[in-house]
Amino acid sequence: MPFTRRSLVASAAAAAAVTLAPAAVQAADAWPNRPIKLVVPYPPGGSSDIIARAISQSLSEALKQSVIVENKAGANGNLGADFVAKSAPDGYTLLLCDVGALAISPSVYTKLAFDPSKDLRGVTMLAYSPHLLVVHPSVKASNLKELVALSKTSDLNFAVTAQGSAPHLAGVALQRATNAKWEYVPYKGGVQSIQDTVAGQTQVLMNGMLATLPHVQSGKLKLLAVSKGTRMPLVGDVPTIAEQGVPGFESGTWQGVMAPRGTPDAVIARLNQELIRAIRSPDIRSRLAGQGAEVVTMSPAEQEQFFNKERARWAKVVSDAQLKLD
């Protein structure tokens, strides 16, 4: 199936300016009056964690309350997401996660303790970074075609952040499109999957650019392709997956913030305003751009529309791959 984000970027561009009605601003004035918990449902060091720690100080200064980043890893992000979904809808417990990965969970897991569509509501998207297809330097392939050919004559282990994660399903879609052969090795987070590929215990990895690029730049991983619609000057002249024989293929990591369903509209509006201001600050925007992440913001309604589209898109990939987890 095509992997494209053009319509989403166009929609996000329409949300460039967030205007709050005076009544909403007034209603949000009493909030917050105590620290806010920003839950990252993955281990420290991953893309969502990097974003959370980049914006927490700016958000704290804007709201005049401490914003505490708390990692609640487990079950491919579902443990932390469930914690937030079942928290009081008062604006003091928020979720910063890969929204695309969250949209996959209802299709993959047969026993999900919460319903993301019913139990969470969007606040804003923050950033997008494409997946990088990388290999251990010892792998004798310098492009996708060579990797596919090698996969048919050698045993290759494909490291994934977790079963049913966005990088896992992107790998499945790539495998189906190219007839490659590799074995998936699931981990409990992106950091561990990267570490094992750097160590040579796994040979192939597809993961978010924010967490993976430093290892490419240091020479510990070899970059074969970028899963984006266009090439990225940041990684030189490395071609996209689409250019290497899989037209329309695109996947990546979408970081965003969500809150428990029932959180007051005024609080959501204030959070949307301050989060967008924080992520668009020149310092943070420049820092993220240097790591391959593009700032993409949305209104709460646009983020929920995005979530529904991602849920439908990945449901087809899951169905085609006949992938189900307990």
Side-chain angles (χ1 to χ4, degrees), residues 9 13 41 44 63 89 108 175 197 237-239 324:
V9 172
L63 297 176
V108 172
Q175 183 180 25
T197 308
D237 204 31
V238 176
K324 283 290 183 181

Side-chain angles (χ1 to χ4, degrees), residues 3-323:
F3 282 67
T4 178
R5 57 187 280 271
R6 291 177 185 171
S7 61
L8 294 171
V9 172
S11 176
V18 177
T19 304
L20 295 177
V25 176
Q26 186 175 8
D29 279 347
W31 174 92
N33 55 28
R34 56 188 170 88
I36 296 166
K37 185 180 295 184
L38 187 58
V39 175
V40 176
Y42 311 110
S47 298
S48 294
D49 185 67
I50 290 170
I51 297 284
R53 296 183 190 282
I55 66 170
S56 59
Q57 183 59 38
S58 295
L59 189 59
S60 176
E61 292 171 0
L63 297 176
K64 296 180 172 54
Q65 283 292 339
S66 297
V67 176
I68 302 166
V69 177
E70 182 172 325
N71 297 89
K72 283 187 175 292
N76 191 22
N78 292 325
L79 187 67
D82 181 53
F83 173 82
V84 175
K86 293 175 179 173
S87 296
D90 52 15
Y92 291 98
T93 306
L94 307 172
L95 177 70
L96 198 161
C97 68
D98 179 345
V99 176
L102 187 64
I104 293 170
S105 295
S107 299
V108 172
Y109 291 91
T110 57
K111 300 175 183 177
L112 197 61
F114 69 105
D115 185 333
S117 295
K118 294 180 179 178
D119 299 332
L120 294 166
R121 64 177 299 187
V123 178
T124 183
M125 205 64 71
L126 295 173
Y128 164 80
S129 61
H131 288 141
L132 299 183
L133 177 64
V134 298
V135 295
H136 185 267
S138 66
V139 174
K140 298 186 182 305
S142 57
N143 55 50
L144 178 58
K145 182 179 179 180
E146 291 178 359
L147 178 66
V148 171
L150 183 64
S151 76
K152 297 175 182 179
T153 60
S154 304
D155 293 330
L156 294 179
N157 289 326
F158 191 114
V160 293
T161 58
Q163 283 186 301
S165 63
H168 180 195
L169 291 188
V172 169
L174 182 61
Q175 183 180 25
R176 290 172 65 85
T178 61
N179 294 315
K181 298 187 181 203
W182 45 57
E183 292 294 324
Y184 294 100
V185 180
Y187 289 88
K188 294 182 178 179
V191 174
Q192 189 179 354
S193 67
I194 292 171
Q195 289 173 343
D196 270 18
T197 308
V198 167
Q201 295 179 32
T202 49
Q203 293 76 46
V204 187
L205 170 73
M206 183 173 278
N207 199 34
M209 190 166 183
L210 269 176
T212 311
L213 182 60
H215 301 280
V216 172
Q217 293 172 327
S218 68
K220 294 177 180 177
L221 292 173
K222 181 165 54 174
L223 177 60
L224 302 189
V226 179
S227 183
K228 192 174 186 289
T230 56
R231 296 191 185 192
M232 301 185 70
L234 188 61
V235 293
D237 204 31
V238 176
T240 67
I241 289 176
E243 288 179 289
Q244 297 189 60
V246 191
F249 191 100
E250 189 171 354
S251 65
T253 301
W254 294 85
Q255 267 75 35
V257 173
M258 304 186 84
R261 183 70 64 177
T263 301
D265 290 343
V267 172
I268 294 293
R270 178 81 188 282
L271 278 168
N272 177 279
Q273 181 187 53
E274 299 301 350
L275 283 164
I276 289 176
R277 181 180 289 129
I279 199 73
R280 286 186 183 168
S281 69
D283 174 58
I284 293 178
R285 185 193 286 269
S286 174
R287 201 185 330 161
L288 293 178
Q291 296 173 286
E294 171 189 357
V295 170
V296 179
T297 59
M298 299 182 187
S299 70
E302 285 173 326
Q303 189 187 5
E304 296 211 10
Q305 181 183 28
F306 166 86
F307 182 88
N308 291 333
K309 286 182 178 179
E310 284 291 276
R311 186 168 180 168
R313 175 166 85 96
W314 288 113
K316 185 178 186 311
V317 177
V318 171
S319 176
D320 290 346
Q322 298 183 334
L323 177 66

